Amino acid sequence: MGRARGLVARAQRIVVFTGAGMSAESGIPTFRDALTGLWERYDPEQLATEAGFRSDPPLVWSWYASRRQAIAGAAPNAGHRAIAALEPRKPGLLVVTQNVDGLHQRAGSGDVVELHGSILRVRCLAGCGVVERGWQDDPRSPPPCPSCGAPLRPDVVWFGELLPEEALRRAQRAAMRCDLMLVVGTSALVYPAAELPFLAARGGAQVLVVNPEPTEVDGIASASLHGPAGRLLPELLGG
Ligand code: BJW
Ligand code: ZN
């Protein structure tokens, strides 16, 4: 911990790259953890692809509605708060998240890049350009697009879909320019997001991992702290 705290103290351009483990202690399940991960119980082909949505819109819609409800009832944890509290001390700090839950923003982080979209928004399946934040939520089936009548879909990135171009570009640029990348709560298995720590290391940044389990990133990390983010981040980032 002492060495890791030293890396944070010396860093001037920090990127915090987060995944589902960041929100685990807020009670939001991860995707790939044994027993508790969503993909243990649900089929990603059915629930996180456009083909799955088209084949059964009510099924996919209701799964997202129940997750949205769980997220609305959850609160940011001590890890989210520690990252938000670091921002004033490290100007230019950027949070790059794969999470769709909006908890970094609710904890007070001001600059958050959402690589996989947001579960709090919907957009038109037909791509007419409609994006909405507040809509009449019937958990049983997707409402029609107010402009063209096609179903609305969650504004998240499903498998086989391109990440939002501007978000990905900004994340890649920040990764190449940072001097410290803190990688929290991600299995780093899903591309292209998983490339970011490797881009950072190639650009000369120190990489610091916070995760209870070993991951692909440990091999390039200057230090790996094995434990839960909600406990380790306040200790690591506390002033
Ligand atoms: C804790 C903790 C605690 C626990 N504290 N830590 C073959 C090879 C390479 C690539 C591909 C391939 N076949 C297909 C692809 C491409 C595919 C991909 O990468 N697949 C891999 C799985 C192999 N990628 C895509 O499709 C992407 N698009 C794309 O590539 O476009 C180009 C293209 C077009 C056409 C064809 C092919 C390519 C899009 C990816 C979209 C991912 N979407 C999801 C769902 C979002 C919506 C929703 O929420 O429903 O995003 S999937 C899911 O995984 C979600 C996450 O953001 C993402 C990453 O998961 P994450 O965050 O890392 O979570 P977990 O569960 O994996 O890990 C949790 C970690 O936390 C663990 O390490 C725990 O130990 C830890 N943890 N408790 C700290 N308390
Ligand atoms: Zn439309």
Side-chain angles (χ1 to χ4, degrees):
M1 180 57 81
R3 213 168 77 76
R5 278 182 58 93
L7 290 175
V8 174
R10 284 191 296 279
Q12 292 185 326
R13 295 181 310 279
I14 301 184
V15 171
V16 183
F17 174 52
T18 67
M22 182 77 233
S23 299
E25 290 150 271
S26 295
I28 299 171
T30 64
F31 295 92
R32 296 173 186 79
D33 277 292
L35 304 178
T36 57
L38 291 171
W39 298 155
E40 289 266 321
R41 279 174 296 147
Y42 301 101
D43 176 8
E45 282 291 323
Q46 173 68 71
L47 294 165
T49 65
E50 184 177 327
F53 183 74
R54 285 186 185 276
S55 81
D56 193 343
L59 174 77
V60 177
W61 182 262
S62 62
W63 187 63
Y64 277 92
S66 71
R67 286 178 56 205
R68 206 180 292 121
Q69 204 176 10
I71 287 164
N77 64 54
H80 294 105
R81 290 196 299 272
I83 293 168
L86 183 63
E87 206 174 83
R89 291 173 14 227
K90 299 285 183 182
L93 180 141
L94 182 67
V95 175
V96 175
T97 188
Q98 299 165 86
N99 299 343
V100 299
D101 57 31
L103 289 182
H104 282 298
Q105 292 91 332
R106 280 168 60 191
S109 282
D111 203 359
V112 182
V113 170
E114 295 181 316
L115 289 174
H116 292 161
S118 171
I119 200 168
L120 309 172
R121 292 189 305 262
V122 291
R123 65 179 153 94
C124 175
L125 179 66
C128 81
V130 164
V131 178
E132 293 205 333
R133 259 185 169 270
W135 64 94
Q136 273 301 18
D137 206 8
D138 178 346
R140 289 165 305 180
S141 64
C145 170
S147 167
C148 77
L152 293 173
R153 57 161 281 181
D155 190 14
V156 299
V157 181
W158 283 329
F159 287 108
E161 296 184 330
L162 296 178
L163 276 60
E165 204 176 328
E166 183 51 36
L168 180 60
R169 218 189 352 247
R170 190 157 177 238
Q172 288 169 332
R173 222 174 9 231
M176 289 188 286
R177 290 180 188 166
C178 69
D179 57 7
L180 176 70
M181 179 176 279
L182 186 54
V183 181
V184 184
T186 178
S187 59
L189 292 172
V190 176
Y191 284 82
E195 270 165 16
L196 293 170
F198 297 89
L199 274 183
R202 218 180 305 144
Q206 311 275 347
V207 174
L208 191 50
V209 174
V210 174
N211 196 310
E213 303 293 331
T215 71
E216 301 289 316
V217 183
D218 291 335
I220 55 159
S222 306
S224 294
L225 301 176
H226 290 298
R231 177 166 64 77
L232 291 180
L233 288 178
E235 209 181 318
L236 176 67
L237 307 179

